Amino acid sequence: MANLILILGDQLSHHLSALEGADPATDRIVMAEVHDEASYTNHHKKKLVLVFSAMRHFARELTGKGWQVAYYRYDPDSPHKDLLSVVQEQVLSLSPDKLVITECGEWRLDNQIRKWFDALGVPVEIRPDSRFIAGKAVFARWAEGRKQLRMEFFYREMRRKTGLLMTPGDEPEGGHWNYDADNRRKWKGQPPAPAPFRVEPDDITREVITLVDGHFRDHFGTTDDFHFAVTADRAREALDHFIDFALPCFGDYQDAMADQEDWLFHAILSPYLNCGLLDPMEVCEAAERAWYAGQAPLNAVEGFIRQIIGWREFVRGIYWLKMPEYASENRLDNDRSLPWFYWSGETGMHCLHRTIDSTRRNGYAHHIQRLMVTGNFALLAGIKPEDICDWYLAVYADAYDWVELPNTLGMVMHADGGYLGSKPYAASGKYIHRMSDYCGQCRYNVNHTSEEDACPFNALYWHFLDRHKDDFSRNPRMVMMYRNWQRQDPDHRNATLERANWLLDHLDEL
Ligand SMILES: Cc1cc2nc3c(=O)[nH]c(=O)nc-3n(C[C@H](O)[C@H](O)[C@H](O)COP(=O)(O)OP(=O)(O)OC[C@H]3O[C@@H](n4cnc5c(N)ncnc54)[C@H](O)[C@@H]3O)c2cc1C
Ligand code: SF4
């Protein structure tokens, strides 16, 4: 036998680097649903169904192409609790020349695999993950010598590198790099948001649903109404659905939130991109084609492509540049525990209730809900970064440490001291009111700050600014906020701070 190739649950791509040059006649593939990977966090039940079912479908496709695949199904009584033990068994029985693997996405597992040689006694070849546009070394070179890293400049490099939305003269299409200023409309029910793409579960998925309901009962969320794609073909249909029905309005309503619409005009493609069913370049090229064909406006297409070749690549670059120290950053010295309502959804704050409820049902909430509702509240309330990071890692179907951690710890919590973002995304209830219709359904009054019925975001916002004045009052992007705070009547300021202190002492009751 030649090589043993290990394929992980987020590496379900036929063009994976570990498969390059491999020979189905001699090489053997191993895939495994193991306890340690399924349980290192309280993964949403829908994420477990998606990953296990997609793995089983992928293994079937590989077998159909002539590969020999040793597939270990999840078994709670299996002696193989972790990947090393599975690989050890395969190495013992097959005596391969070496183990080949594509570098894994998470530092935790990557760190383990880099030590496997001693345990296995055969060489371990770890290949770069070519599914990303900027390799780790490319990002590190770009970051070298820069005091602060800004996504916008990195994004322009990625535009040039990929040629996406670039003219033959190497200028950005339309004359601007970024059309974000056009992407801030409130959605008032028109145009109607498209129904999300759905795939009805087949036999394999139904079997996995039963398994997850049986063995992962205590995990967050529900398997009810599971309708994610679990194969690359179906994920491509989901991409087509997005391009045809949602992309034209993606830009305009990118920052909008709506009480009765879980998905609005978002792509809902991150679960597929992150487990390998879709390739980032194919997704961006499909969006670019829609613009050239006149099917979607530039603000939508540029905004969408920026999320993928800009933000997605940028946060991955930061993750690998800064781990493992990054995970324990807490520059704002937060020490409060996560309120229980993040898990139960039981809170009178309607925006939080709805966001957590959709998270529980769907394993999904769109970016602005994650950033400006659940994230903003955790920032204002001074929640410990590790608590809120654990929550985000558990509750979303697209959650993987490399993308969740920089978004939560850096973008939302500003716990890295501004490495990822130049200012915290702190906002009062006014922002949520402007971008959604949540406040009309809420027991709190968004126009009040210190009264008993006042929206908690309001007093907490001013308290956040006040308690972090040494950190932020000289930040040029926050000077205006501090000026507004200083201009307020001292009695009013005291009443606001008093209300905030009460709120902070009673977070679980809000
Ligand atoms: C606190 C917090 C935690 C997050 N955790 C995750 C996570 O675990 N996994 C994850 O994939 N995304 C995460 N994001 C980013 C973003 O919210 C999701 O990628 C997006 O909501 C996925 O839904 P969509 O496919 O409908 O995205 P769309 O809004 O339609 O965007 C299109 C695509 O762009 C990419 N993208 C957009 N924003 C980001 C971003 N900030 N970082 C990386 N990629 C981005 C995604 O691949 C997404 O599919 C997080 C954001 C925040 C604020
Ligand atoms: S009033 Fe405040 S808590 Fe209620 S929905 Fe609006 S922003 Fe959220």
Side-chain angles (χ1 to χ4, degrees), residues 72-311:
Y72 291 66
R73 287 175 167 228
Y74 182 82
D75 171 2
D77 302 322
S78 164
H80 304 298
K81 297 284 182 234
D82 58 25
L83 287 166
L84 175 59
S85 140
V86 166
V87 173
Q88 266 170 331
E89 181 171 82
Q90 289 294 311
V91 167
L92 270 180
S93 84
L94 302 168
S95 303
D97 295 339
K98 64 181 172 190
L99 174 73
V100 179
I101 178 170
T102 291
E103 63 189 355
C104 61
E106 307 202 348
W107 187 88
R108 172 191 61 85
L109 188 57
D110 182 72
N111 190 40
Q112 290 171 24
I113 291 176
R114 288 184 191 276
K115 296 172 190 151
W116 276 6
F117 173 70
D118 290 342
L120 294 176
V122 295
V124 179
E125 182 187 333
I126 302 174
R127 298 183 178 172
D129 193 341
S130 53
R131 298 172 303 167
F132 288 91
I133 294 151
K136 291 176 189 172
V138 171
F139 189 87
R141 267 200 305 280
W142 174 81
E144 207 178 332
R146 291 172 198 251
K147 258 199 207 140
Q148 285 189 321
L149 302 187
R150 290 294 161 256
M151 194 285 295
E152 184 62 30
F153 300 115
F154 170 76
Y155 165 60
R156 292 178 191 181
E157 296 284 315
M158 294 299 101
R159 286 273 294 276
R160 289 195 184 97
K161 178 169 182 189
T162 58
L164 287 163
L165 293 181
M166 297 298 289
T167 66
D170 212 26
E171 294 297 322
E173 290 286 8
H176 301 282
W177 291 100
N178 181 318
Y179 294 87
D180 221 16
D182 298 340
N183 292 359
R184 297 191 185 135
R185 290 178 69 178
K186 183 170 180 164
W187 184 71
K188 296 181 180 161
Q190 289 300 328
F197 178 78
R198 299 182 62 89
V199 178
E200 294 312 319
D202 63 4
D203 289 347
I204 295 179
T205 302
R206 278 198 296 274
E207 201 181 335
V208 174
I209 290 174
T210 306
L211 181 148
V212 169
D213 282 341
H215 296 297
F216 296 91
R217 235 168 291 138
D218 298 338
H219 279 227
F220 183 75
T222 170
T223 61
D224 291 352
D225 193 33
F226 180 89
H227 61 261
F228 286 128
V230 289
T231 62
D233 284 348
R234 287 307 180 94
R236 268 182 216 116
E237 287 174 25
L239 169 61
D240 293 344
H241 180 91
F242 165 67
I243 301 282
D244 290 344
F245 301 111
L247 179 63
C249 292
F250 172 84
D252 288 357
Y253 303 109
Q254 194 179 349
D255 284 2
M257 298 176 277
D259 192 37
Q260 295 302 317
E261 273 298 337
D262 291 339
W263 321 89
L264 280 169
F265 300 92
H266 289 273
I268 321 158
L269 294 177
S270 49
Y272 312 136
L273 283 163
N274 294 354
C275 74
L277 295 182
L278 283 180
D279 183 76
M281 271 310 281
E282 84 175 300
V283 169
C284 292
E285 282 163 3
E288 187 193 41
R289 275 196 302 277
W291 180 64
Y292 284 121
Q295 289 164 358
L298 190 53
N299 68 313
V301 173
E302 184 281 316
F304 178 70
I305 288 177
R306 173 159 29 90
Q307 305 312 311
I308 296 179
I309 66 169
W311 279 113

Side-chain angles (χ1 to χ4, degrees), residues 242 250 266-271 273-274 304 307-308 311-312 315 364-367 370-371 392 396 398-400 403-404 407-408 411-412:
F242 165 67
F250 172 84
H266 289 273
I268 321 158
L269 294 177
S270 49
L273 283 163
N274 294 354
F304 178 70
Q307 305 312 311
I308 296 179
W311 279 113
R312 187 171 185 270
V315 297
Y364 179 87
H366 59 74
H367 186 66
R370 297 187 205 193
L371 181 66
Y392 277 101
Y396 291 112
D398 60 19
Y400 296 86
V403 52
E404 174 277 321
N407 268 298
T408 310
M411 189 185 300
V412 161

Side-chain angles (χ1 to χ4, degrees), residues 301-467:
V301 173
E302 184 281 316
F304 178 70
I305 288 177
R306 173 159 29 90
Q307 305 312 311
I308 296 179
I309 66 169
W311 279 113
R312 187 171 185 270
E313 297 283 332
F314 182 68
V315 297
R316 177 180 185 258
I318 288 190
Y319 179 82
W320 285 107
L321 204 59
K322 291 286 169 190
M323 282 299 278
E325 295 77 15
Y326 198 72
S328 44
E329 290 274 29
N330 182 9
R331 302 275 183 98
L332 297 182
D333 291 328
N334 290 357
D335 58 4
R336 256 179 220 95
S337 301
L338 190 71
W340 181 246
F341 62 71
Y342 271 76
W343 297 106
S344 68
E346 285 167 19
T347 166
M349 292 178 281
H350 194 65
C351 51
L352 276 156
H353 166 70
R354 288 298 294 165
T355 299
I356 296 165
D357 181 54
S358 114
T359 300
R360 188 191 61 77
R361 284 182 287 108
N362 303 323
Y364 179 87
H366 59 74
H367 186 66
I368 291 300
Q369 292 173 309
R370 297 187 205 193
L371 181 66
M372 300 311 293
V373 179
T374 41
N376 185 24
F377 190 83
L379 172 74
L380 301 183
I383 304 303
K384 279 182 266 184
E386 66 179 285
D387 277 21
I388 188 71
C389 289
D390 285 352
W391 185 80
Y392 277 101
L393 187 62
V395 302
Y396 291 112
D398 60 19
Y400 296 86
D401 203 42
W402 64 266
V403 52
E404 174 277 321
L405 188 73
N407 268 298
T408 310
L409 190 138
M411 189 185 300
V412 161
M413 300 305 291
H414 212 76
D416 60 0
Y419 196 68
L420 188 138
S422 57
K423 81 172 193 44
Y425 283 88
S428 69
K430 266 200 199 105
Y431 176 87
I432 295 172
H433 186 44
R434 189 162 70 241
M435 296 313 297
S436 78
D437 57 352
Y438 290 135
C439 301
Q441 322 289 321
C442 187
R443 82 159 180 240
Y444 295 104
N445 187 331
V446 72
N447 297 315
H448 289 175
T449 301
S450 53
E451 296 82 341
E452 254 181 48
D453 68 346
C455 165
F457 282 83
N458 291 343
L460 290 177
Y461 168 74
W462 294 118
H463 192 276
F464 172 83
L465 289 185
D466 193 67
R467 73 177 181 267

